[in-house]
Amino acid sequence: MSPFACVWVDFFAAAAAERCEPALREGALAVVIPAAHAKILEANAAARAGGVGPGMTETEARARCPALVSRPWVDAHVAAARAALLEAALGVSPRVEDAGAGVVHVDAAGLERLHGSPAALGAHLLGQARRVGFAARVALAGSRAAARLVAASAAAAVTVVPPGRERAALAPLSLAALALDADLAATLARWGVTTLGGLAALPREGLGARLGPAGLRAHDQALGRDREPFRAWTPPPFWEEAQELEWELDALDALAVVLARVLARLAARLEAAQLAAEALDVELALATGGRHARTVPLATPTCEVKPLLALLRLDLERHPPPAAVTRVVLGARTVRARAGQGGLWRPPAPAPRALGAVLARLAALVGGDNVGSPALLDSHRPDAHAMLAFAPPDEAGAEDEHRGQDGWRGRCSPPPAAVAAPPAGGSHDAWNAPARHGSPATPAADARTAGGADPARPRPAPDGEPEHRLVLRRARPPRRVEVETAGERPASVELGGGVQRVVACAGPWRASGEWWDVGEWAREEWDVALAGGALCRLAWDRRTGAWCLDGTYD
Amino acid sequence: MRLLRPGAITEIVGRSSSGRTSLFTACLGEATAAGGVAALVDADETFDPASAARAGVDLARLLWVRCAGRRDAALRATDLLVRCPGFALVGLDLGEAAPPLPPAAAFRLKFAVERTGAALVIVGRRRVAGAGASLVVETVRAGLEWEGPGLVPTRLARLVAGVRVLRARAGAPAAGAAPVSFCA
């Protein structure tokens, strides 16, 4: 196995533009420096075949090639394309080197057991590059210099130089492949040296004495020797793709088309690196000069374009940009994707991808704060609960292992989406109050009525049938009602437009809390059966003297 | 009586304080205790998490969708949920003033649950799904029991209800009402 491979992309600036707009691959393309007299910086193969080359003015280029399409140089496009090529190579070998725009060295040592023959490894690299939008060439040789020079000048997509044959493989190549500076190239031309083989045949000592370090460097390259140590490239912790827009977009449908294109590029990069996005950062540059930034968390890590685009659209529908958009930047927060398998005996659960899309649609429909999983707070305050992001536990009972001291469930992140009551705990002051089933949310308080048994387990009724729990339908917010009392007991309640007599009642159950804080509360609760048939819970606020309807037992 | 019917619509109807919500919460508890994932579309935001937890509902396995009184949003949310495979139970609590569903909407829900296998349970004052429901039960309060050490009761002990089958696609509705008691 040759220890090094080189992935080479011709005319990289043009290839980066084609990656952003795949339709440009069909015709002649030139990348120009945006200026008053725009000059051609790079041209693709079709443009070069039409006589267009770097350094020409755009006018001259158009005169030579009327079908020429020009695009301005965009730093972000080229940087993203360069990163994409490196990441694609990283999917094949853990050690890659950034050797310039469109050139990646790959350490292929030890990969034969994974990929087979050198040709198969080259084909794999070629496929990876194609997946992120590049038509590349690959060469494998014993040194990086040899692999790079062969890749730059080869006609075939994959070229393998047999071990020890590097010098012979480089010998017929033109001296222009070394991209020497003009003076050195002119000197060698005067000596009649036109190929790498001719340069390699020159005596090294004499070459060093006459041409100095530049001559020795050229000689080493002609022999296929590496002068620099391998500098492994590490991917940055952020993954970003950007798209400049030629005109302003103010409609979401049109913006979605651009988002789909940018997302496809980003997803291809993630897939090549075997990563998945757990959140997307969207930054839209606005025509007003401002920015519109959104972060879209994903219920499950994925790199599939369709669900990601749906989630982005839903988020932007809820939070549209305030002005027309001129630039789109998408960033991904990545995690290593791990395959999982459901339990054999567990009921099926919603697929994470489908669940994420449904949660996003529900959030768009009723608001993000109104969708989630309820969680009880460690407080005696009535109706103390929080709404957490919905993420059903994988294993039954796994949740209890992660339950914190403060009563929050173990899913520490993200934080609660909405809290119905302050999380500060109340104290249950039962001033000589009888035990009851109602307001305390803690299992200990509930156990007083259940005789210490599991309160959630149906108990056998006197007739032997399992007995279920009576639940309350909450009135949110608690409804103010007028109550007439006889002594301290409710006698009649004005409810639903009429006065209803209380036929039976039980209470009071007194509770208070947070007297040490601004959220102090103190109340007495009564369970009342009304003549109309309703079975309600009434509460008397001891601080204000007002009665309210907490809810109805149903 | 088995109310959880995968791939079918079950309706629980009844007057206020008749035990219909407690019966529905028992279904939620059964579904989540078996390790399934359940969803509750709460049209009027009347769900009480503390009561449900005491009734055996694993709240971590429950998706609660609050609709702030918007019936149309509740129906659309239900439609989304029943189309997502993997939910063992999708509950729709329409509260007291629930207009009947258009037949097309009811059958749309019916076909969706048949495809995904979810059990859709609709709770309300009266029937809304018409012929789309496979099982319709009505809860009728039979009595209340109070407890206390003296003559004056100090504690609500239990609510006793009868559950009567109004419509059952598989087999004829049983005559009479099965007693169910709900301990306070």
Side-chain angles (χ1 to χ4, degrees), chain A residues 35-86:
Chain A
H37 299 287
K39 291 213 169 184
I40 305 295
L41 193 71
E42 190 66 274
N44 68 0
R48 284 172 193 257
V52 177
M56 290 180 182
T57 63
E58 193 174 353
T59 312
E60 183 185 355
R62 287 191 186 285
R64 290 181 178 221
C65 180
L68 184 73
V69 176
S70 65
R71 287 288 180 268
W73 165 276
V74 180
D75 278 335
H77 290 180
V78 178
R82 194 166 169 171
L85 189 62
L86 284 159

Side-chain angles (χ1 to χ4, degrees), chain A residues 226-268:
Chain A
D226 291 328
R227 291 175 60 91
E228 305 287 336
F230 190 92
R231 286 169 297 184
W233 179 80
T234 307
F238 52 86
W239 299 70
E240 211 170 82
E241 280 286 338
Q243 179 78 50
E244 299 282 343
L245 304 179
E246 287 183 62
W247 52 82
E248 300 168 356
L249 293 180
D250 54 2
L252 188 57
D253 286 338
L255 186 60
V257 175
V258 179
L259 283 173
R261 200 183 299 161
V262 181
L263 207 50
R265 299 204 303 264
L266 187 63

Side-chain angles (χ1 to χ4, degrees), chain A residues 355-385:
Chain A
L355 181 62
V358 167
L359 290 177
R361 288 180 194 283
L362 288 172
L365 184 64
V366 297
D369 292 346
N370 290 321
V371 179
S373 179
L376 300 179
L377 298 181
D378 187 16
S379 169
H380 292 286
R381 177 185 283 273
D383 200 20
H385 71 271

Side-chain angles (χ1 to χ4, degrees), chain A residues 237-316:
Chain A
F238 52 86
W239 299 70
E240 211 170 82
E241 280 286 338
Q243 179 78 50
E244 299 282 343
L245 304 179
E246 287 183 62
W247 52 82
E248 300 168 356
L249 293 180
D250 54 2
L252 188 57
D253 286 338
L255 186 60
V257 175
V258 179
L259 283 173
R261 200 183 299 161
V262 181
L263 207 50
R265 299 204 303 264
L266 187 63
R269 284 173 60 186
L270 294 177
E271 197 176 355
Q274 293 154 14
L275 291 172
E278 64 171 356
L280 287 177
D281 294 316
V282 190
E283 189 178 302
L284 305 175
L286 305 177
T288 54
R291 289 179 184 281
H292 181 72
R294 297 286 311 155
T295 296
V296 183
L298 308 176
T300 178
T302 181
C303 60
E304 293 182 44
V305 176
K306 201 174 169 186
L308 289 176
L309 182 62
L311 295 176
L312 275 183
R313 273 198 74 142
L314 286 166
D315 188 80
L316 288 175

Side-chain angles (χ1 to χ4, degrees), chain A residues 499-503 529-535, chain B residues 15-17 141:
Chain A
V499 177
Q500 296 195 38
R501 187 170 54 84
V502 174
V503 294
L530 302 178
L535 180 62
Chain B
R15 293 168 61 94
S16 179
S17 298
R141 193 167 84 194

Side-chain angles (χ1 to χ4, degrees), chain B residues 44-107:
Chain B
D44 290 333
E45 297 189 22
T46 57
F47 178 69
D48 182 36
S51 297
R54 275 198 304 275
V57 178
D58 182 355
L59 296 181
R61 295 182 183 278
L62 177 67
L63 173 63
W64 183 19
V65 183
R66 302 184 295 206
C67 299
R70 292 167 53 203
R71 296 283 185 285
D72 59 331
L75 281 176
R76 287 177 62 193
T78 307
D79 191 59
L80 279 172
L81 286 165
V82 295
R83 283 171 196 287
C84 178
F87 282 100
L89 167 63
V90 177
L92 171 61
D93 188 344
L94 287 170
E96 295 301 317
L101 299 181
F107 277 93

